[in-house]
Amino acid sequence: MANALEQIKVNSWSRAVPMAALFELTFVCNHACTFCYNCPTGQKEMTTAEAFDALRKMAEFNILYLTLTGGEPLVRRDFFEIAAEARRLGFALRIYTNGFLIDEPMAAKIKQIANPLEIEISLHGARPETHEKLTCVPGSLQKVINAVRNLRAQGIKVNLKVPVTRDNQEEVLDMHRLAIDLGATIVFDPVITPRDDGDKDPVNLMATDDFLRRYWTDPAYAGARREPVPVPRHDAPGEAVCGTGRTAFALDPYGNIFPCVQWRRSAGNIKTVASLRDIWHTSPVLIEVRRTAVEMADKLRDTQQAGKAGGFCNFCLGVADLQLGDPKAIYPQIQKNAEFRQQAYEEWKAKTGETLEDTGGVLSKCAM
């Protein structure tokens, strides 16, 4: 039986009433990661007053969870003013950061002013030379380690996020052990995506086929992938493949409103709309996005019934649209991972004689 919060999330999904938003405060960053998806356009980023007004409109729309990110959000001089206003308005905060600026005083200030549910920090390797090859900043791995320790000392939950590349793939188990030693959780993402302007160069950094096969089929990686056995999707008829434009949305530093951080089809600008309610159920962009999310779930269910790997896809409509020009096209990275996930499941099924299915319903899907 679902608890009260889970039931609220299910209702949010079914009614397309958002509970969460992601706010990119700036595209400025003190790192130069080789696969960063951000693509600044040179427009003027929101002022403090404009950011406050955006927060007010989100609060009036009853958004509960708010993620502050960038770029690197902590480089904004008014970050703590914005965080304090967000807390005053009642948001439950998350912060996405590279951790570079989080020394002991900064960690204490984050706790005192933002008091986030959690902080997510990017990790790119277990060795300095690996991490710093991707960030292009000397000393950045030690800064991450120090940041995690400082935040944990303040009682703040830390989640490390790892895009798995061919440069760091052989350090996945070491990074998993490092997270455990630091008292942090860790999530590995083996799917590298294009930049927001469509540049596909970052995709060339994707982990090798040999590693992906090992990652999904070798029991040694079960703890790292947090999934002992890959489980096939379960999309009920009429159920969306993800929560894009349904349970969440994203704002960029210029005020553009997107269905999610990956699918950058603007539904308007928060600086010019009087209320988010004015566009949420009337925007042609959001209506199309929600319809497409349902159609894609149907497509994946059909491929699963046909015994194909689509039933093992953790699919992203935005990446498909950006990379292939079709939000319902199976892009190569997700296809490759799905094939190895299916292989792992079929091997487990042949060995045990049992079957599994995702029973999490909408709660197990990406809702940003």
Side-chain angles (χ1 to χ4, degrees):
M1 177 180 293
N3 61 36
L5 180 57
E6 289 175 343
Q7 189 58 55
I8 290 171
K9 291 180 178 179
V10 170
N11 292 342
S12 167
W13 187 288
S14 62
R15 296 167 54 207
V17 176
M19 292 181 63
L22 183 143
F23 193 173
E24 294 173 321
L25 297 179
T26 181
F27 282 147
V28 176
C29 189
N30 48 11
H31 284 181
C33 297
T34 53
F35 54 81
C36 181
Y37 60 80
N38 286 158
C39 295
T41 63
Q43 300 174 64
K44 184 179 179 182
E45 297 185 345
M46 278 190 274
T47 64
T48 307
E50 288 171 334
F52 276 25
D53 193 49
L55 292 174
R56 176 186 61 79
K57 291 174 182 176
M58 287 188 282
E60 290 174 351
F61 198 36
N62 296 321
I63 297 302
L64 174 59
Y65 299 107
L66 179 64
T67 298
L68 301 179
T69 183
E72 172 48 49
L74 295 177
V75 303
R76 272 195 71 135
R77 295 181 179 179
D78 59 357
F79 172 80
F80 284 105
E81 295 176 60
I82 294 171
E85 179 66 4
R87 290 292 295 143
R88 186 188 73 79
L89 290 169
F91 293 107
L93 292 181
R94 292 184 173 91
I95 301 170
Y96 292 175
T97 173
N98 58 38
F100 196 79
L101 299 176
I102 304 179
D103 55 15
E104 290 185 21
M106 175 71 83
K109 193 172 183 180
I110 289 171
K111 175 66 174 180
Q112 177 186 1
I113 296 176
N115 193 23
L117 294 174
E118 68 176 5
I119 290 184
E120 293 201 358
I121 298 179
S122 301
L123 178 67
H124 304 295
R127 298 183 300 161
E129 56 267 35
T130 306
H131 183 89
E132 292 156 19
K133 180 180 180 181
L134 290 163
T135 65
C136 302
V137 176
S140 52
L141 175 60
Q142 190 58 52
K143 288 281 192 175
V144 166
I145 293 171
N146 294 344
V148 176
R149 287 173 174 158
N150 294 333
L151 292 166
R152 294 298 297 131
Q154 293 293 329
I156 298 173
K157 179 184 177 183
V158 178
N159 183 41
L160 295 171
K161 298 186 299 183
V162 182
V164 180
T165 68
R166 61 187 57 233
D167 291 326
N168 66 19
Q169 63 185 32
E170 300 305 332
E171 297 177 27
V172 163
L173 295 179
D174 290 333
M175 287 187 279
H176 185 227
R177 284 188 286 266
L178 175 62
I180 293 172
D181 290 344
L182 292 172
T185 58
I186 189 166
V187 175
F188 295 94
D189 186 355
V191 178
I192 304 298
T193 62
R195 293 190 175 95
D196 288 338
D197 62 1
D199 180 359
K200 300 180 180 63
D201 282 352
V203 178
N204 295 326
L205 289 169
M206 186 170 165
T208 64
D209 289 357
D210 174 69
F211 173 78
L212 292 174
R213 177 189 55 77
R214 285 185 283 128
Y215 180 76
W216 290 115
T217 63
D218 189 336
Y221 288 92
R225 62 181 184 251
R226 303 201 301 184
E227 189 179 30
V229 180
V231 179
R233 299 180 61 92
H234 176 71
D235 297 292
E239 190 174 276
V241 72
C242 67
T244 181
R246 178 176 298 271
T247 60
F249 60 90
L251 297 180
D252 75 3
Y254 315 128
N256 292 306
I257 303 165
F258 299 119
C260 77
V261 71
Q262 288 284 9
W263 207 353
R264 292 183 180 251
R265 292 188 179 184
S266 181
N269 192 292
I270 201 162
K271 292 187 292 184
T272 58
V273 299
S275 165
L276 286 166
R277 286 187 177 85
D278 292 345
I279 67 166
W280 190 255
H281 290 291
T282 60
S283 162
V285 168
L286 294 174
I287 291 170
E288 180 187 358
V289 161
R290 288 192 281 265
R291 174 183 56 78
T292 304
V294 172
E295 292 173 351
M296 189 64 208
D298 292 339
K299 178 178 178 178
L300 292 178
R301 186 174 60 255
D302 290 344
T303 63
Q304 182 177 342
Q305 290 172 351
K308 298 179 180 178
F312 289 83
C313 283
N314 294 320
F315 192 80
C316 178
L317 298 158
V319 174
D321 197 25
L322 180 65
Q323 186 166 336
L324 300 176
D326 179 355
K328 293 185 286 185
I330 305 292
Y331 45 102
Q333 312 96 294
I334 204 70
Q335 177 68 30
K336 186 63 66 175
N337 276 276
E339 289 171 357
F340 289 127
R341 284 169 54 82
Q342 183 178 34
Q343 177 185 335
Y345 175 73
E346 295 297 342
E347 290 175 355
W348 176 87
K349 187 169 69 169
K351 181 179 179 180
T352 64
E354 300 177 19
T355 59
L356 290 172
E357 187 177 74
D358 183 358
T359 57
V362 299
L363 295 175
S364 66
K365 297 186 180 186
C366 176
M368 201 173 70

